[in-house]
């Protein structure tokens, strides 16, 4: 498996990548940043898909995906630090980010 990630973690990372730039509606609050709106919409969509049996995600997984979506394009501190950049993250949200 890639970096020791489980198949489910790999799938969740792909979902985060697919949802990272959701299209916004003109009726949405313009004061909310695009990344925040995308993260919120992603979590809601995943919950909807879970409710109809299309995909099964836990609340922790949805939160981790939302965290990754909201922070895409940013470098995590552990990746910027030469001492820790080779370490594989252990927390799901950091793995997906």
């Amino acid at each position: 498996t890639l970096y020791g990630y489980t198949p489910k973690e790999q799938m969740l990372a792909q979902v985060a990548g697919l949802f990272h730039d959701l299209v916004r509606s003109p009726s949405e609050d313009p004061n909310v940043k695009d990344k925040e709106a995308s993260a919120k919409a992603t979590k809601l969509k995943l919950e909807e898909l879970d409710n109809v049996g299309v995909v099964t995600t836990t609340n922790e997984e949805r939160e981790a995906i939302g965290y990754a979506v909201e922070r895409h394009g940013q470098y995590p501190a552990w990746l910027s630090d030469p001492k820790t950049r080779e370490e594989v993250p252990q927390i799901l949200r950091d793995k997906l980010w």
Side-chain angles (χ1 to χ4, degrees):
T1 58
L2 181 65
Y3 300 114
Y5 289 21
T6 67
K8 176 89 180 222
E9 291 168 339
Q10 291 178 40
M11 184 272 301
L12 295 172
Q14 291 171 346
V15 169
L18 291 171
F19 280 91
H20 84 278
D21 276 332
L22 292 177
V23 177
R24 294 193 61 184
S25 163
S27 65
E28 291 182 64
D29 183 353
N31 296 316
V32 176
K33 295 179 182 178
D34 288 345
K35 291 178 183 182
E36 292 171 13
S38 290
K40 182 179 178 180
T42 296
K43 290 186 281 187
L44 289 173
K45 181 53 71 180
L46 288 170
E47 191 170 348
E48 288 173 16
L49 293 171
D50 189 55
N51 288 337
V52 296
V54 173
V55 66
T56 302
T57 55
T58 65
N59 187 51
E60 177 191 8
E61 291 167 343
R62 290 189 295 275
E63 288 295 323
I65 290 169
Y67 183 86
V69 166
E70 190 169 343
R71 286 160 182 77
H72 86 276
Q74 299 173 2
Y75 284 104
W78 62 266
L79 186 58
S80 300
D81 185 345
K83 295 176 185 171
T84 58
R85 84 169 49 133
E86 298 298 324
E87 296 175 14
V88 176
Q90 299 302 309
I91 299 171
L92 181 60
R93 70 179 196 176
D94 290 340
K95 286 182 177 184
L96 301 186
W97 183 10

